[in-house]
Amino acid sequence: MRDTLTNAMPALFAHEGLWDGTYRHIDAEGQLIDQHRMRTRCEFPATGEFAYIQHNHLIWPDGREQRLSFGGVFRDGRLWWDTDRFHGHGWETLDNVLMLTLHRKDDPGVRFTEMIQISDDGESRARTWQWFRDGTPFKRTLCDERRVSRDPEAEL
């Protein structure tokens, strides 16, 4: 599966490893509504059910933490997710930008489109989420991350 994914979405593999960054959620008026640290580990297993697995460790300034993991399957030239929280797909553009469209199962009527672009040196990346509720934009998420490790098994 890894070889098939490598051929279909080669730029995706530049994201393998551990990332650390800040996520800022902004409402439609541009006001900060949430901010937290996120450590994200991206891995591409050689075998198994999933072609891609992402592990997230969210850390808020007040001490709250949350850990999430989810896997995606590769079919029809895209990565597909179907978890308890969301479903949707991701693809790679001709300019090596990753795009995702995800629909929230835990918040009916809410979806977001995410753009992920890695720096030229591969050591930082920017992620932007455009959130829609019932077809109307209502917030943005801005993520700035730096690479911590290229090891897909690095400690979160």
Side-chain angles (χ1 to χ4, degrees), residues 85-88 101-106 110-112:
R85 295 180 329 276
F86 63 84
H87 69 91
T101 295
L102 300 173
H103 298 263
R104 297 301 302 235
K105 289 181 177 179
D106 57 354
V110 173
R111 67 176 165 83
F112 65 90

mmCIF file of all heavy atoms in Angstrom, residues 85-88 101-106 110-112:
data_model
loop_
_atom_site.group_PDB
_atom_site.id
_atom_site.type_symbol
_atom_site.label_atom_id
_atom_site.label_comp_id
_atom_site.label_asym_id
_atom_site.label_seq_id
_atom_site.Cartn_x
_atom_site.Cartn_y
_atom_site.Cartn_z
ATOM 1 N N ARG A 85 -15.685 10.837 14.702
ATOM 2 C CA ARG A 85 -15.823 12.294 14.727
ATOM 3 C C ARG A 85 -16.041 12.923 13.352
ATOM 4 O O ARG A 85 -16.642 13.989 13.249
ATOM 5 C CB ARG A 85 -14.588 12.932 15.371
ATOM 6 C CG ARG A 85 -14.426 12.567 16.834
ATOM 7 C CD ARG A 85 -13.206 13.196 17.491
ATOM 8 N NE ARG A 85 -12.070 13.419 16.633
ATOM 9 C CZ ARG A 85 -11.130 12.511 16.327
ATOM 10 N NH1 ARG A 85 -11.200 11.290 16.809
ATOM 11 N NH2 ARG A 85 -10.113 12.812 15.558
ATOM 12 N N PHE A 86 -15.502 12.314 12.298
ATOM 13 C CA PHE A 86 -15.597 12.931 10.973
ATOM 14 C C PHE A 86 -15.457 11.895 9.870
ATOM 15 O O PHE A 86 -15.009 10.774 10.087
ATOM 16 C CB PHE A 86 -14.545 14.034 10.799
ATOM 17 C CG PHE A 86 -13.124 13.534 10.879
ATOM 18 C CD1 PHE A 86 -12.488 13.002 9.776
ATOM 19 C CD2 PHE A 86 -12.432 13.597 12.078
ATOM 20 C CE1 PHE A 86 -11.189 12.523 9.852
ATOM 21 C CE2 PHE A 86 -11.128 13.124 12.167
ATOM 22 C CZ PHE A 86 -10.516 12.597 11.050
ATOM 23 N N HIS A 87 -15.814 12.304 8.653
ATOM 24 C CA HIS A 87 -15.561 11.513 7.451
ATOM 25 C C HIS A 87 -15.217 12.474 6.325
ATOM 26 O O HIS A 87 -15.604 13.653 6.349
ATOM 27 C CB HIS A 87 -16.764 10.625 7.092
ATOM 28 C CG HIS A 87 -17.957 11.400 6.626
ATOM 29 N ND1 HIS A 87 -18.186 11.691 5.294
ATOM 30 C CD2 HIS A 87 -18.978 11.970 7.303
ATOM 31 C CE1 HIS A 87 -19.301 12.389 5.185
ATOM 32 N NE2 HIS A 87 -19.800 12.576 6.394
ATOM 33 N N GLY A 88 -14.458 11.997 5.362
ATOM 34 C CA GLY A 88 -14.088 12.831 4.233
ATOM 35 C C GLY A 88 -12.860 12.299 3.533
ATOM 36 O O GLY A 88 -12.476 11.143 3.719
ATOM 37 N N THR A 101 -11.179 17.675 2.723
ATOM 38 C CA THR A 101 -12.547 18.093 2.997
ATOM 39 C C THR A 101 -13.111 17.081 3.970
ATOM 40 O O THR A 101 -13.182 15.886 3.663
ATOM 41 C CB THR A 101 -13.396 18.145 1.712
ATOM 42 O OG1 THR A 101 -12.872 19.159 0.856
ATOM 43 C CG2 THR A 101 -14.842 18.472 2.035
ATOM 44 N N LEU A 102 -13.464 17.564 5.160
ATOM 45 C CA LEU A 102 -13.933 16.680 6.231
ATOM 46 C C LEU A 102 -15.265 17.178 6.775
ATOM 47 O O LEU A 102 -15.431 18.378 7.026
ATOM 48 C CB LEU A 102 -12.892 16.613 7.353
ATOM 49 C CG LEU A 102 -11.523 16.088 6.922
ATOM 50 C CD1 LEU A 102 -10.516 16.226 8.050
ATOM 51 C CD2 LEU A 102 -11.615 14.649 6.456
ATOM 52 N N HIS A 103 -16.195 16.273 6.961
ATOM 53 C CA HIS A 103 -17.523 16.556 7.495
ATOM 54 C C HIS A 103 -17.582 16.019 8.919
ATOM 55 O O HIS A 103 -17.260 14.848 9.153
ATOM 56 C CB HIS A 103 -18.599 15.880 6.638
ATOM 57 C CG HIS A 103 -18.613 16.373 5.236
ATOM 58 N ND1 HIS A 103 -19.473 17.345 4.803
ATOM 59 C CD2 HIS A 103 -17.838 16.047 4.166
ATOM 60 C CE1 HIS A 103 -19.252 17.591 3.521
ATOM 61 N NE2 HIS A 103 -18.259 16.811 3.120
ATOM 62 N N ARG A 104 -17.995 16.861 9.849
ATOM 63 C CA ARG A 104 -18.031 16.481 11.253
ATOM 64 C C ARG A 104 -19.259 15.631 11.556
ATOM 65 O O ARG A 104 -20.382 16.064 11.315
ATOM 66 C CB ARG A 104 -18.032 17.730 12.141
ATOM 67 C CG ARG A 104 -16.790 18.598 12.015
ATOM 68 C CD ARG A 104 -15.523 17.852 12.362
ATOM 69 N NE ARG A 104 -15.540 17.308 13.693
ATOM 70 C CZ ARG A 104 -14.635 17.529 14.622
ATOM 71 N NH1 ARG A 104 -13.609 18.302 14.356
ATOM 72 N NH2 ARG A 104 -14.732 16.978 15.801
ATOM 73 N N LYS A 105 -19.047 14.431 12.065
ATOM 74 C CA LYS A 105 -20.153 13.588 12.509
ATOM 75 C C LYS A 105 -20.643 14.035 13.882
ATOM 76 O O LYS A 105 -21.815 13.868 14.207
ATOM 77 C CB LYS A 105 -19.703 12.132 12.602
ATOM 78 C CG LYS A 105 -19.471 11.459 11.284
ATOM 79 C CD LYS A 105 -19.065 10.021 11.546
ATOM 80 C CE LYS A 105 -18.874 9.223 10.297
ATOM 81 N NZ LYS A 105 -18.464 7.837 10.608
ATOM 82 N N ASP A 106 -19.731 14.575 14.692
ATOM 83 C CA ASP A 106 -20.073 14.990 16.054
ATOM 84 C C ASP A 106 -20.680 16.387 16.106
ATOM 85 O O ASP A 106 -21.046 16.875 17.170
ATOM 86 C CB ASP A 106 -18.852 14.901 16.968
ATOM 87 C CG ASP A 106 -17.674 15.728 16.468
ATOM 88 O OD1 ASP A 106 -17.744 16.296 15.357
ATOM 89 O OD2 ASP A 106 -16.663 15.798 17.185
ATOM 90 N N VAL A 110 -21.647 20.664 9.963
ATOM 91 C CA VAL A 110 -20.357 21.352 9.978
ATOM 92 C C VAL A 110 -19.349 20.560 9.154
ATOM 93 O O VAL A 110 -19.249 19.336 9.272
ATOM 94 C CB VAL A 110 -19.842 21.541 11.426
ATOM 95 C CG1 VAL A 110 -18.420 22.093 11.428
ATOM 96 C CG2 VAL A 110 -20.768 22.465 12.194
ATOM 97 N N ARG A 111 -18.621 21.288 8.317
ATOM 98 C CA ARG A 111 -17.542 20.696 7.531
ATOM 99 C C ARG A 111 -16.408 21.704 7.462
ATOM 100 O O ARG A 111 -16.605 22.896 7.731
ATOM 101 C CB ARG A 111 -18.006 20.328 6.129
ATOM 102 C CG ARG A 111 -18.361 21.524 5.274
ATOM 103 C CD ARG A 111 -18.726 21.125 3.846
ATOM 104 N NE ARG A 111 -19.389 22.180 3.150
ATOM 105 C CZ ARG A 111 -18.783 23.196 2.542
ATOM 106 N NH1 ARG A 111 -17.467 23.287 2.561
ATOM 107 N NH2 ARG A 111 -19.484 24.128 1.921
ATOM 108 N N PHE A 112 -15.217 21.228 7.126
ATOM 109 C CA PHE A 112 -14.127 22.161 6.874
ATOM 110 C C PHE A 112 -13.268 21.653 5.744
ATOM 111 O O PHE A 112 -13.201 20.462 5.457
ATOM 112 C CB PHE A 112 -13.293 22.471 8.128
ATOM 113 C CG PHE A 112 -12.527 21.316 8.713
ATOM 114 C CD1 PHE A 112 -11.233 21.039 8.299
ATOM 115 C CD2 PHE A 112 -13.082 20.542 9.710
ATOM 116 C CE1 PHE A 112 -10.510 19.995 8.849
ATOM 117 C CE2 PHE A 112 -12.371 19.498 10.277
ATOM 118 C CZ PHE A 112 -11.084 19.226 9.853
#
